[in-house]
Amino acid sequence: MWIYEKKLQYPVRVGKCDPRLARLLIEQYGGADGELSAALRYLNQRYSIPDRVIGLLTDIGTEEFAHLEMIATMVYKLTKDASPEQMKAAGLADHYVNHDRALYYHDAAGVPWTSAYIQAKGDPIADLYEDIAAEEKARATYQWIIDNTDDPDIMDALKFLREREIVHALRFREAVELLKEHREQKKVF
Amino acid sequence: MEKGQNVDQWREWDAYYSPFDPCSPRQKYYLIPPDQMTTFQSAGLKQYSPHEALKRGTLWPDLYSPYPRGAKEGTR
Ligand SMILES: [Fe+2]
């Protein structure tokens, strides 16, 4: 079970009315390498992974939901007061006709989220390598979004999120090292 | 499981077993393929004969990973 704290993991401030940026940020909401994919991937892999790394997947998977909330907050702030004309000017007319200003799990190009983005192979090395790759791809995505904004407040939150991807990637690589070790093996004759 | 060379690619672990679990417990295994154990292959490693290498898919015994069918079933 989870305990919910009604606050964001890191404060999200949006300093500039730029609905166009919402369209780019949504990549990290419902995109292949976004926070929803990350959270669901890690929490699902926990069941069949060796017990030594279950806790890590729980912790990181949970944190990804906290990141998802931060992205949602940014998107919401950028679109909640936008007029249909502003939505259209931001390239969000297609979104508007389908969802109004509601958030939806799709990527920056409007492709809806699919579980085909995530894998659970049952092989711990294959699963952890997917996780490492996902973190590096999410880090890169944050970089390209940062390149597309001049709002220092948004940049601040995105830089925090980008740094978390770096830390997560290292934790997953440490998990690989743990699994390489031989534990005293039970010998049954 | 193939005895001798490269058997230590397998790792064993025990999943938590509750007295209320419906099925009898099974030993869990996973494999660490040999590529995981080096970051950059060193020069001058022992090599298979050309014929043996063609059959195995690698020139180097250190990189060979046997996977006999049912490998995970045989050790207990
Ligand atoms: Fe992450």
Side-chain angles (χ1 to χ4, degrees), chain A residues 35 38 42 60 63-64 67 134-135 138 161 164-166 168-169 172:
Chain A
E35 303 292 355
Y42 306 151
I60 297 182
E63 184 178 347
E64 305 296 3
H67 297 171
E135 295 293 336
L161 290 168
R164 297 308 298 156
E165 310 298 353
I166 294 170
H168 292 172
F172 286 133

Side-chain angles (χ1 to χ4, degrees), chain A residues 50-53 124-125 128 173-185, chain B residues 7-13 29-33 36-37:
Chain A
D51 49 358
R52 284 201 287 177
V53 294
I125 294 300
L128 286 168
R173 289 197 290 116
E174 289 167 348
V176 170
E177 295 306 312
L178 284 176
L179 292 185
K180 286 183 191 174
E181 288 170 6
H182 284 273
R183 282 207 293 188
E184 25 19 303
Q185 303 229 321
Chain B
V7 280
D8 71 343
Q9 291 176 14
W10 289 95
R11 306 286 185 273
E12 295 182 5
W13 64 285
Y29 298 95
Y30 59 93
L31 183 122
I32 299 295
Q36 288 295 319
M37 303 313 284

Side-chain angles (χ1 to χ4, degrees), chain A residues 10-30:
Chain A
Y10 184 90
V12 166
R13 292 197 139 232
V14 181
K16 195 181 156 194
C17 179
D18 181 14
R20 184 197 57 98
L21 188 58
R23 191 186 157 163
L24 307 181
L25 285 166
I26 210 78
E27 183 70 28
Q28 278 302 85
Y29 193 68

